[in-house]
Amino acid sequence: MSIVKERYAVEGMSCASCAASVESILSHVEGVKTAAVNFADSSVLVEHDPSLAPDRKLQEALKNIGYNLVVDQKGDAASGEEKEANQLQNLRLKLILAVVFSVPVVLIAMFFPGILYAEWIMLALSIPVIFWSGQDFFVIAFKRARHLSANMDTLIALGTGAAFLFSAFNTFFPEYLRSQGLEPHVYYEVAAVIIALILLGRYFEERAKSRTSAAIRKLMNLGSKTARVIRGGSEAEIPISEVQQGDIVIIRPGEKVPVDGKILEGRSVLDESMLTGESIPVEKKAGDTVIGATINKTGSFKMVAQKVGSQTMLAQIIKLVQEAQGSKAPLQKLADKISAVFVPVVIGIALISFTAWYLWGPSPQITYALIAAVTVLIIACPCALGLATPTAIMVGIGKGAENGILIKDAESLELAHRLNAIVVDKTGTLTRGKPEVTDMIWNVGIEARSEVSRVLLAIESQSEHPLALAVVNFLTREMDPAEKSTPALALRDGSINPWLEAQGSNNSSTEVRLDNFESITGKGVKATYQNETFFIGNRRLLEENQVMISPALKQKIDQVSREAKTVVYVGKGKETVALIGIADTLKETSAKAVADLKKMGLAVYMLTGDNPQTAQAIGQQVGIDHIIAEVLPADKARYVKELQAKGLIVGMVGDGINDSPALAQADVGIAMGTGTDIAIESAKITLIKGDLAAIVTAIRLSKETVKTIRQNLFWAFIYNLIGIPVAAGVLYPFTGFLLNPMIAAAAMAFSSVSVVTNSLRLKAKTFKEQ
């Protein structure tokens, strides 16, 4: 028995219950071990024995219940952007048509029922709503009925179908009821409005799903499309798919590394934030490993390709995100779960009431029997049930946006209040995500500092290193206005210094003219000013040039290093004249946000790709006890999974590409709005301002929204519990009262209004701390 895992695209899934149906059907096919649907990208991961459960058998199983398994596009679900866009566009068109045609039907039914040919106009307007906009409800209901199962689609199809058919009968044959002494009412507005409302909910769900799958598409677009390799003794630029293990690849400054491998010759500084999340670039030399999709900042180098195609780190991250999105079985909506029981009960009551009226009712028995059965189906229409959750969710999502919290879907808003563990990334989440100067330690007198500052600013303004930018920003803030025009007017290539040009300064009286500017990869820079050589970089640069470091400065170095800061050395001639401490500093609100989360009973964990010393320093400052450092993207997702295995409901907060697998794996993924697009689209909630304190607000909002949903569902079911027996005629033997279908439709509308009104109460509430 040979078990394989294969991913297939699935067409026709329109809601969470569809996803559950696909999983259920495939799981029961002989030879299938497991089936996990990723509703976000309309795919299913099937673990099966191809000899017992071949592709065609799986496809046939789904075809029987109305879905299509695309067997010739395995693993390609994430790249179906065009198909997904077409599906969303089709749903939008159906929704627009349903709304445009439903509004006049409602207006005629409510305010102008006496106009000439009113019934015929409403019939004509309702037909496209029922038979085009709502066709999927009837198709799915029919296919489910063939397998003796029911869901929300079945209830919608029954209710709207009964209302439409009964109305059409009364439009074509009004004399039949009149001959029985009854008025032939029509209920076209009931059928049209229900379909329009349910389609509105489906559209929002589909749009949220589309945004989620965009994360995978953007991850796929991160990689380089081509690579420059040496073949046959000459350079050739080839598509990335043609790169093979063992190929020698040339990487130039500014280019992305195309595949994973090892540097053979050359050295450079690489931006590995995609992998580690850390803002400070990493020095690389011969023998070091480099990862595909990271960015080469300065030098050129040759590397040997070791991992290509699906073996690369980027491909593994994409796979992790896909599996994490599909690993949690999609939650069936409460309304769908109840529908599985409710629909057969409603049909049973309608049949019993029809039979009872036909056998024991007054004359004309068939008329009373039909009216009672249709009234039961109309009053059981899932309008209030369908509105209970989406109206509260829509108001909750709107309220979140007011508070700087973008909520992608209903599931995350419902789950947020149940969180009992929060995992946070360090860089860009707790910290600002960019290096800043925190210490400037001088080893010269006050008089000499001005000149050193001007030279330092001139040199660093020519460097491309991110740490140099931090120094430039610091010095321009600290120096006197008269000194801010001091960097070199002309760069070494003769062009105008862009920094100076941006300042709009033409003050040449204090300009610093540098000679022999040289950038030394992996060490720093050096330049000559007035016959004095200045060195700015790491300790190795100073040691190689015999620049002395005083004992007093060495003590300061130890102190700054213990605080997990990067030390930049400034040398002049043979003497170290200054030390610069640089770190990624904490956001002002981080410590209070962590304290508030702890007060709410949540355990807070910090995962970071940074070194243990820096991680511990940051953890102590914000009050986090659970700290894990030097973790890769797969480790973060694995750690979240371990917490979930312990029964915890986990929220993951991050801002980088490396966080995307963990954001997708978490029960609620929360991205900082200041982070990468991929992190934002892998997450379910985005904090627009990148403020961790907004998580506390989101949890409070979630609690109130869920409370409102429960109230709505309670009133929707109370309405049905009371209304259905009355519609069936249980009061007739005692009081002679039989519910008119028109009153049933009005009662249904009233229940919907009560649900919407209750949801709107959320708008008046405050969720931030006063």
Side-chain angles (χ1 to χ4, degrees), residues 166-398:
F166 187 69
S167 301
F169 178 82
N170 287 346
T171 301
F172 283 101
F173 310 107
E175 295 308 318
Y176 175 77
L177 285 183
R178 287 191 184 125
S179 68
Q180 311 294 327
L182 299 168
E183 188 61 30
H185 294 294
V186 294
Y187 311 100
Y188 293 117
E189 79 283 1
V190 173
V193 167
I194 287 172
I195 285 183
L197 285 171
I198 302 297
L199 280 177
L200 180 64
R202 292 275 170 92
Y203 174 72
F204 283 127
E205 188 174 20
E206 188 70 23
R207 195 172 67 167
K209 186 186 82 169
S210 176
R211 287 175 180 172
T212 302
S213 60
I216 296 172
R217 291 197 298 270
K218 289 198 174 182
L219 275 171
M220 297 179 83
N221 291 332
L222 269 182
S224 179
K225 302 294 181 288
T226 60
R228 192 176 291 103
V229 301
I230 298 175
R231 286 187 178 171
S234 61
E235 287 186 28
E237 191 164 333
I238 61 173
I240 194 71
S241 58
E242 294 179 14
V243 179
Q244 300 173 0
Q245 284 183 344
D247 274 341
I248 305 302
V249 186
I250 298 172
I251 314 294
R252 293 172 181 166
E255 293 181 344
K256 286 183 179 179
V257 178
V259 294
D260 299 1
K262 186 175 286 187
I263 295 179
L264 293 177
E265 60 180 77
R267 60 191 311 150
S268 186
V269 175
L270 268 68
D271 176 359
E272 292 192 335
S273 57
M274 181 279 290
L275 180 68
T276 64
E278 300 311 310
S279 54
I280 297 174
V282 181
E283 296 173 8
K284 297 284 183 178
K285 60 184 184 306
D288 288 345
T289 298
V290 290
I291 303 299
T294 55
I295 300 169
N296 181 31
K297 302 290 283 186
T298 54
S300 298
F301 59 88
K302 288 181 182 178
M303 60 173 283
V304 59
Q306 294 179 322
K307 292 181 180 178
V308 299
S310 61
Q311 299 174 328
T312 64
M313 179 68 77
L314 179 62
Q316 293 303 309
I317 291 175
I318 292 168
K319 185 181 176 186
L320 281 168
V321 172
Q322 282 184 319
E323 290 184 356
Q325 286 179 341
S327 63
K328 304 183 294 290
L331 294 175
Q332 273 188 293
K333 292 177 180 174
L334 183 57
D336 278 318
K337 290 180 179 178
I338 293 166
S339 296
V341 177
F342 186 58
V343 173
V345 170
V346 168
I347 294 171
I349 292 171
L351 290 172
I352 290 168
S353 62
F354 178 89
T355 305
W357 281 96
Y358 185 74
L359 294 176
W360 301 297
S363 181
Q365 288 94 333
I366 186 67
T367 301
Y368 281 107
L370 279 171
I371 289 175
V374 169
T375 305
V376 167
L377 292 175
I378 288 173
I379 207 164
C381 254
C383 205
L385 192 60
L387 285 170
T389 298
T391 52
I393 291 294
M394 284 173 70
V395 175
I397 287 173

Side-chain angles (χ1 to χ4, degrees), residues 625-646:
D625 303 317
H626 310 287
I627 300 166
I628 299 178
E630 295 180 340
V631 291
L632 294 175
D635 299 327
K636 288 188 179 184
R638 195 178 303 116
Y639 190 78
V640 169
K641 208 180 278 189
E642 286 172 7
L643 291 176
Q644 289 169 327
K646 294 175 183 176

Side-chain angles (χ1 to χ4, degrees), residues 124 246 484 742:
K484 289 187 180 181
M742 192 69 177

Side-chain angles (χ1 to χ4, degrees), residues 371-372 375-376 379 723-724 726-729 732 737-745 747:
I371 289 175
T375 305
V376 167
I379 207 164
I724 290 174
V726 173
Y732 188 83
F737 176 76
L738 181 62
L739 189 64
N740 187 305
M742 192 69 177
I743 297 172

Side-chain angles (χ1 to χ4, degrees), residues 460-481:
E460 292 291 64
S461 67
Q462 295 193 45
S463 176
E464 299 168 346
H465 200 287
L467 297 185
L469 179 61
V471 174
V472 169
N473 289 338
F474 172 78
L475 289 174
T476 53
R477 287 196 306 268
E478 294 298 313
M479 291 170 66
D480 292 334

Side-chain angles (χ1 to χ4, degrees), residues 65-140:
I65 59 166
Y67 305 106
N68 182 32
L69 189 80
V70 185
V71 298
D72 57 345
Q73 292 180 19
K74 290 177 189 175
D76 197 38
S79 61
E81 186 173 1
E82 188 178 345
K83 187 184 292 184
E84 195 174 77
N86 290 339
Q87 191 173 327
L88 188 62
Q89 177 67 13
N90 187 43
L91 186 55
R92 186 188 293 119
L93 289 174
K94 287 186 176 184
L95 172 61
I96 291 170
L97 182 139
V99 171
V100 168
F101 281 74
S102 296
V103 169
V105 173
V106 172
L107 290 175
I108 293 170
M110 297 299 224
F111 304 108
F112 310 105
I115 65 170
L116 196 62
Y117 302 120
E119 292 86 355
W120 292 99
I121 295 170
M122 288 191 287
L123 170 64
L125 291 170
S126 299
I127 285 173
V129 178
I130 302 294
F131 294 104
W132 188 66
S133 293
Q135 66 177 338
D136 289 343
F137 300 122
F138 294 93
V139 169
I140 292 171

